[in-house]
Amino acid sequence: MEDKKLAATARLLEVMDTLRRECPWDRKQTFDSLRSNTIEETYELCDAITDHNFEGIKEELGDLLLHVVFYSKMGEEEGKFNYADVANGVCDKLIYRHPHVYGDIHANTPEEVMKNWEALKLRKKNRKSGTLGGVPTSLPAMVKAYRVGEKAAAAGFDWEKKEDVWDKVKEEIGEVETEIKAGNIANMEAEFGDLFFALINTCRLYGVDPESALERTNKKFIHRFNYMEEHAAAEGHSLREMKLDDMEALWQEAKKEE
């Protein structure tokens, strides 16, 4: 099995070398031109994971691996780094950040592992930028909020008991309601942001990925809404012509089908 893995990796690197030499499109690509495609491929992988589509996961992982090899090839051409540098770099990083496996540090729970991980990252990389300096600025807001909460918690800034977070959520809901009544749009936006941040931290404390949770709800809503439209059209109606009670009946039918 190990020989097959090594052979497959060598084959991919060889294919990349060939394409970079002989294909006009591949030859033309740069770090900047591939960036948006890499982002798209990452989201396609996330979709496959959300759907638990293992065939899709395999395919999308292959697409992402292609991008890793592609960037590595361009780095080699620039004389900056190559695939071996990338692979060895991540191996060195993993060994450094797993002293409970490769050293004499003890960590018996996932929480202890994460705490050590964040402390080592801070010591190695972010002395000047601080605990939160390693959070990429270009992350989507929800993912960024989750990572900020994780890193702050690893530094000891967190609720003593996860149940205490609900007081913060209720406080933020009250502040949103106050600003809605006042009609101040700027303050409403700020308070909604605080409420979202509190809810994301609540997800973190209870071991739920908020991005996955929301995406599952998106897919569920889309399925039910499409069901309503299709059944309304089959009866010669559009949703705009229907009463809310009739739409609710179709919505409940869609729920039963899930």
Side-chain angles (χ1 to χ4, degrees):
M1 178 59 75
E2 292 303 317
D3 289 343
K4 287 185 177 180
K5 292 177 184 177
L6 292 173
T9 302
R11 182 186 180 204
L12 177 57
L13 292 172
E14 183 180 350
V15 168
M16 186 73 256
D17 287 345
T18 301
L19 293 178
R20 192 68 174 165
R21 284 194 314 268
E22 300 182 13
C23 173
W25 185 90
D26 289 287
R27 241 185 356 251
K28 183 181 178 182
Q29 299 314 304
T30 65
F31 286 94
D32 291 330
S33 69
L34 279 183
R35 178 180 178 276
S36 60
N37 287 344
T38 305
I39 295 170
E40 182 179 340
E41 296 295 354
T42 303
Y43 278 110
E44 288 178 358
L45 172 61
C46 291
D47 284 345
I49 292 171
T50 300
D51 293 340
H52 290 172
N53 177 357
F54 287 98
E55 190 62 31
I57 292 171
K58 180 183 72 173
E59 180 179 349
E60 300 305 336
L61 282 173
D63 290 343
L64 270 184
L65 181 57
L66 167 62
H67 281 239
V68 172
V69 170
F70 213 143
Y71 288 122
S72 298
K73 179 61 180 176
M74 291 188 290
E76 180 180 334
E77 293 167 352
E78 294 288 336
K80 303 298 184 183
F81 61 87
N82 58 31
Y83 181 83
D85 296 326
V86 173
N88 283 323
V90 73
C91 287
D92 292 342
K93 183 187 296 183
L94 288 171
I95 291 169
Y96 172 75
R97 293 185 184 172
H98 289 77
H100 53 288
V101 176
Y102 294 97
D104 55 5
I105 300 297
H106 295 285
N108 298 318
T109 67
E111 292 76 19
E112 290 175 336
V113 171
M114 283 303 300
K115 187 175 181 179
N116 287 337
W117 178 282
E118 294 294 345
L120 288 166
K121 284 176 68 176
L122 182 60
R123 186 187 311 164
K124 179 93 172 181
K125 191 175 181 181
N126 297 321
R127 287 175 181 165
K128 293 182 180 179
S129 55
T131 299
L132 303 181
V135 180
T137 56
S138 58
L139 278 179
M142 182 180 292
V143 179
K144 185 187 293 185
Y146 191 91
R147 290 295 292 132
V148 165
E150 275 188 327
K151 286 181 173 291
F157 187 67
D158 205 2
W159 285 267
E160 289 187 5
K161 297 184 298 182
K162 64 183 180 182
E163 293 80 10
D164 294 342
V165 73
W166 292 109
D167 291 333
K168 185 62 175 175
V169 171
K170 292 171 186 175
E171 174 190 329
E172 297 300 348
I173 290 173
E175 292 178 0
V176 167
E177 291 174 340
T178 297
E179 295 304 333
I180 288 174
K181 290 175 184 176
N184 187 316
I185 298 297
N187 287 351
M188 283 167 54
E189 182 181 277
E191 296 303 338
F192 269 115
D194 290 346
L195 175 57
F196 290 149
F197 193 81
L199 286 170
I200 290 166
N201 271 291
T202 304
C203 290
R204 174 181 60 80
L205 288 165
Y206 282 87
V208 172
D209 179 354
E211 182 76 19
S212 296
L214 183 57
E215 181 57 15
R216 289 182 188 281
T217 295
N218 288 339
K219 289 179 179 290
K220 184 166 55 180
F221 184 93
I222 290 168
H223 166 75
R224 294 175 185 175
F225 192 88
N226 288 343
Y227 180 96
M228 288 196 306
E229 276 194 323
E230 290 166 5
H231 282 70
E235 296 176 5
H237 303 297
S238 70
L239 292 182
R240 291 185 180 87
E241 300 168 341
M242 298 179 66
K243 296 179 180 179
L244 278 176
D245 287 346
D246 295 329
M247 284 192 279
E248 177 63 24
L250 286 175
W251 183 270
Q252 293 302 324
E253 285 181 18
K255 285 179 68 174
K256 291 177 182 178
E257 279 203 347
E258 292 172 356

